[in-house]
Every structure is written in structure tokens, then in C-alpha cells.
Amino acid sequence: MAEPPERDPFPEFRLDSDAGATFVLESKGKWWHAGFHLTTAIVGPTILTLPYAFRGLGWGLGFLCLTVLGCVTFYSYYLMSKVLEHCEKAGRRHIRFRELAADVLGVGIGAILLAGECLKIMYENLSPNGSLKLYEFIAMVTVVMIVLSQLPSFHSLRHINFASLLCLGYTFLMVGACINAGLSKNAPPRDYSLEPSGSSRVFSAFTSISIIAAIFGNGILPEIQATLAPPATGKMVKGLLMCYTVALLTFYSAAVSGYWVFGNNSNSNILKSLMPDEGPSLAPTIVLGLAVVFVLLQLLAIGLVYSQVAYEIMEKQSADVKQGMFSKRNLIPRLILRSLYVIFCGFMAAMLPFFGDISGVVGAIGFIPLDFILPMLLYNMTYKPSRSTLTYWINLSIIIVFTGVGIMGSFSSIRKLVLDANKFKLFSSDVVD
């Protein structure tokens, strides 16, 4: 007598009824498309906050944390890609992080806020007595994002994300501007000292680590891997190597040049340090203007990439997989829901312009568990390495260490939010560091 067919233990991972996966995560990409998406998601304008993160660490610890977090995230993403490949070979849809997508929302809000701030910085440089406020620039960015959000799938962003790689020139423009500022007669005084109090120094260090974790963080790796044409084996590793080559060139140069010039006076957006409220601009206006344009283009790409997680969740419930992607039945809900999502992100960015503090909280609560703990845990659960193997103990050690770092980072980041509470004003025209 034939045995009954085995019950599918993962019915939620089936594609035939999931419009979100079918429409948003089209599996057509090549490995270099994954490289474009990964680089856009990881190597973004948040690197402009690296000199700010070094304030709580100093030179030596700053370099150490940047290097360690970079190596651990690469290892983490490699393990996650192996887990996803295992799922594919087992005939299941890729696991995704959508149930842990609060950090993705934070990235969307942060991208719109930083884009609006960059526009405001350039506007004030060109028109010092202008009347436009930060929330008005945020509204402009939000309108552009609403239009671009209608691109139907993650795969359809590949050309935008390739163009965003070309825009990484803003990193080298910023590095050149910092070197020019450091050698000029208007160079700011440099102070690299840490907090005088031991407890304050510890809290500042963990806040800085959380910010660096947020910069390295990529909460959408499974979604990116899901866009690859099967089989995905080996393709994500090539994409990761491409991404981290760019990261190596940009992260260290941005951190070193910015912290060298401004030290403890580094702003959460180094462009703002180069255009101080008082005194002359520390770099040629045309250089900073070009850098702002590149930053804006990159931020739009980042906002689009991270929004795909939200769009997939929405379209799983709102779209009909049996009808075409551009049918009226699917097009109208997509237009309404995506526009409302972007409007919500823009509203939150305008209402709560606290970029530096938000980066620390998002890094500690969102990215540290997602990128430094969960992949190791999933790998050990999936492949079940023997307790006598080095892989098992490396993974377990990373889980334990970064659980502690995440707890301390959450506490120190929230503590900084509380200490800065008196600076917060809803719909403020200045971003609080």
C-alpha cells in the first residue's frame, strides 16, 4: 500500500498563493545584480556618520570595531546565504525577515530624513536667509519616493542600483573635501579625547558600536537572494565579495578623513560639519553640491531597496497572484498602499528628526540581532555542526558576545535618547545629533 504524501511542514513558504513573493521578488537576477542590491543596501550615505561614531571610540578602538564588525557581518551573510541555499534545495521558498522588519522601517525613515537634511544643507549654503524648513525638503523627497515606489519589483531596481554604485563618488568627494579642510587655514581645532567619566565612556562606546552595526547592517539579505535566478548556489558569495570590496574602499576612507579633521566635533552628517552654521564653508561649494546630488541619488535607491520588504508584506495580502502584475485589480491597491507607506515614512522623518540617536537605536535593537545573532543560530539549527567543530564554537561565541553587545547597545542608545530629550522638538528644522 502506497504511503500517503508527506505533509508540507512549511506551507507558508509556498509560492503558488503568495502574490508578494511572485510580484515583488521576481527570481530573474544575476550575481552582479545581487552585488548591486547588496552594495546599495550596505554601502550608503550612512557612512557619513562614521566620523561621528568614532567620537565614542577614539582611533584605536574605532578601527578595531570597524574591522571586527565588517568581518563578522561578512561571515554572517555568508552563513545566511548557505541557509537560504539549503532551503532552495529542499524545495522551499527562501526564508525572509519580514516578521522582523521594524529596522527596515527605520531605514526608510532615516533615508528620507537624511535626504531632506542634505537638501537643506545645500539650500542654506546657497541662500543663507532662505525661509524653507527641513520638513519642506522632506516633503519634496517624499513626493519623489512616491513616484519611484511604483516600480513593481525588486528586480526592476537593478538599473537604479547600478547607477547608485556610480554615485559612490560622493565618498571620495567627501574625503577630498575633508583633507582640503584639514589643511586649510580655517581648519577646525581637533580634539580626540574621550568622555572624562568612565561610565559615560562605556555608554558612548556602545552607542558608537550600535551606529557602526547599523551602517554594516543589511536586514534584507534573504529578499535579495530571492531575486536571483535559480540555482542561487555561489551567486550570493560573489555578490558579497563585490559589495565588501566597495565597503573596504569607502568605509575606512570616510571614517579616517572625517574624524581626522573634526575629531569630537564630528556631526552625524559630515557634510554639515563641512558647512558650519558659523564661519566660511570648509570646502568648495561645487564639490559639496555634487556630493549632495550623489548622496540624494543613493538615498533614493536605499529607500526603494528597503521598502521592498514592506511592499512584499502588503501585496501578499492585497494582490491576486492569479491576475497580472499590471492588472487593474493589482495596480490600484499597489498605488494606494505604497504611496501611503512612503507618506508615513516621510511624516515620521519630518516629525522626529533625530538621525544620530535613531541610528544607534536601530543598530542595537534591529541590526545586531538580525545580522550578528540570527544567521549563526539558523546555520547551527539547519546544518547541525558537531560540538567538536570550530564552526559550532565560532558561531556560539558570536551569538553570546553580540547578545551582550546588543543589550548594552540598546541601553546606551536609549539612554542617549533620554539625555537628548530636551533638544527634541517635533517638526524641528534641525536634525538632533
Side-chain angles (χ1 to χ4, degrees):
M1 182 177 176
E3 293 186 7
E6 184 179 352
R7 183 179 66 86
D8 184 0
F10 298 96
E12 71 276 18
F13 291 143
R14 292 181 61 83
L15 282 169
D16 51 10
S17 61
D18 190 341
T22 302
F23 294 155
V24 179
L25 302 179
E26 289 184 294
S27 299
K28 296 181 178 179
K30 309 293 185 183
W31 72 264
W32 55 88
H33 296 151
F36 299 160
H37 298 323
L38 285 165
T39 308
T40 299
I42 296 175
V43 189
T46 48
I47 64 176
L48 300 178
T49 65
L50 276 171
Y52 175 79
F54 268 47
R55 297 196 322 181
L57 297 168
W59 282 112
L61 194 55
F63 268 112
L64 179 63
C65 288
L66 191 60
T67 303
V68 169
L69 291 176
C71 292
V72 173
T73 52
F74 183 88
Y75 176 68
S76 169
Y77 298 149
Y78 170 75
L79 293 187
M80 194 68 226
S81 72
K82 300 298 288 183
V83 171
L84 296 173
E85 287 174 9
H86 178 84
C87 291
E88 181 184 35
K89 291 175 182 176
R92 302 198 303 271
R93 194 189 67 188
H94 290 143
I95 296 169
R96 298 203 290 284
F97 289 166
R98 62 189 186 187
E99 290 78 13
L100 303 172
D103 60 312
V104 172
L105 176 63
V107 172
I109 295 170
I112 293 176
L113 172 58
L114 187 54
E117 185 191 20
C118 288
L119 278 176
K120 178 175 177 286
I121 290 171
M122 200 64 217
Y123 170 74
E124 289 178 342
N125 187 261
L126 297 173
S127 179
N129 298 317
S131 60
L132 293 180
K133 305 297 184 183
L134 176 62
Y135 60 82
E136 294 174 281
F137 293 105
I138 290 175
M140 297 176 195
V141 174
T142 302
V143 170
V144 176
M145 283 291 295
I146 289 173
V147 174
L148 294 176
S149 71
Q150 303 310 316
L151 289 167
S153 69
F154 209 145
H155 185 64
S156 64
L157 302 181
R158 63 194 184 281
H159 302 303
I160 291 178
N161 288 342
F162 172 68
S164 75
L165 294 186
L166 302 179
C167 295
L168 287 172
Y170 66 77
T171 303
F172 302 108
L173 287 172
M174 189 210 79
V175 170
C178 286
I179 293 173
N180 177 74
L183 298 176
S184 72
K185 63 180 180 180
N186 296 317
R190 294 170 193 146
D191 179 12
Y192 305 117
S193 61
L194 299 176
E195 297 275 1
S197 165
S199 59
S200 297
R201 190 177 301 178
V202 170
F203 287 129
S204 296
F206 277 103
T207 300
S208 295
I209 291 171
S210 299
I211 292 172
I212 296 175
I215 293 171
F216 271 112
N218 174 13
I220 56 171
L221 185 138
E223 283 77 8
I224 292 174
Q225 186 152 338
T227 67
L228 288 170
T233 304
K235 294 177 182 177
M236 279 298 286
V237 176
K238 293 179 182 178
L240 282 168
L241 288 171
M242 174 182 173
C243 168
Y244 273 77
T245 299
V246 178
L248 181 66
L249 294 172
T250 54
F251 281 27
Y252 285 98
S253 59
V256 170
S257 60
Y259 188 62
W260 170 67
V261 177
F262 298 106
N264 290 343
N265 294 319
S266 298
N267 196 280
S268 62
N269 182 346
I270 203 65
L271 290 174
K272 193 170 181 181
S273 298
L274 290 165
M275 296 180 178
D277 294 332
E278 298 179 1
S281 174
L282 297 176
T285 300
I286 188 170
V287 171
L288 295 175
L290 189 58
V292 167
V293 171
F294 284 170
V295 166
L296 287 174
L297 294 174
Q298 178 82 355
L299 284 167
L300 291 174
I302 288 172
L304 289 171
V305 163
Y306 275 91
S307 296
Q308 301 306 305
V309 178
Y311 300 159
E312 188 212 346
I313 296 170
M314 292 187 292
E315 293 186 24
K316 177 179 173 63
Q317 304 298 327
S318 67
D320 184 352
V321 72
K322 297 178 181 178
Q323 301 193 39
M325 183 185 294
F326 297 102
S327 65
K328 185 183 294 186
R329 163 66 181 79
N330 291 328
L331 184 62
I332 293 175
R334 181 190 308 138
L335 178 65
I336 294 172
L337 291 173
R338 292 189 180 194
S339 298
L340 288 175
Y341 174 81
V342 175
I343 289 170
F344 174 76
C345 288
F347 178 78
M348 294 300 293
M351 185 174 70
L352 304 169
F354 317 137
F355 185 69
D357 290 337
I358 286 176
S359 293
V361 174
V362 168
I365 297 177
F367 285 118
I368 287 179
L370 206 58
D371 294 330
F372 297 89
I373 299 173
L374 187 61
M376 286 68 181
L377 186 62
L378 289 176
Y379 184 89
N380 281 0
M381 291 171 62
T382 301
Y383 287 96
K384 297 179 175 58
S386 169
R387 293 194 177 189
S388 62
T389 62
L390 184 61
T391 299
Y392 175 86
W393 288 105
I394 289 176
N395 292 349
L396 184 62
S397 299
I398 292 174
I399 290 171
I400 293 171
V401 169
F402 281 94
T403 296
V405 170
I407 293 171
M408 285 299 299
S410 300
F411 182 77
S412 59
S413 299
I414 293 172
R415 171 181 174 272
K416 189 172 188 303
L417 271 173
V418 173
L419 293 176
D420 288 344
N422 63 328
K423 302 178 185 177
F424 296 162
K425 293 180 181 178
L426 296 180
F427 299 100
S428 171
S429 193
D430 294 305
V431 175
V432 177
D433 292 327

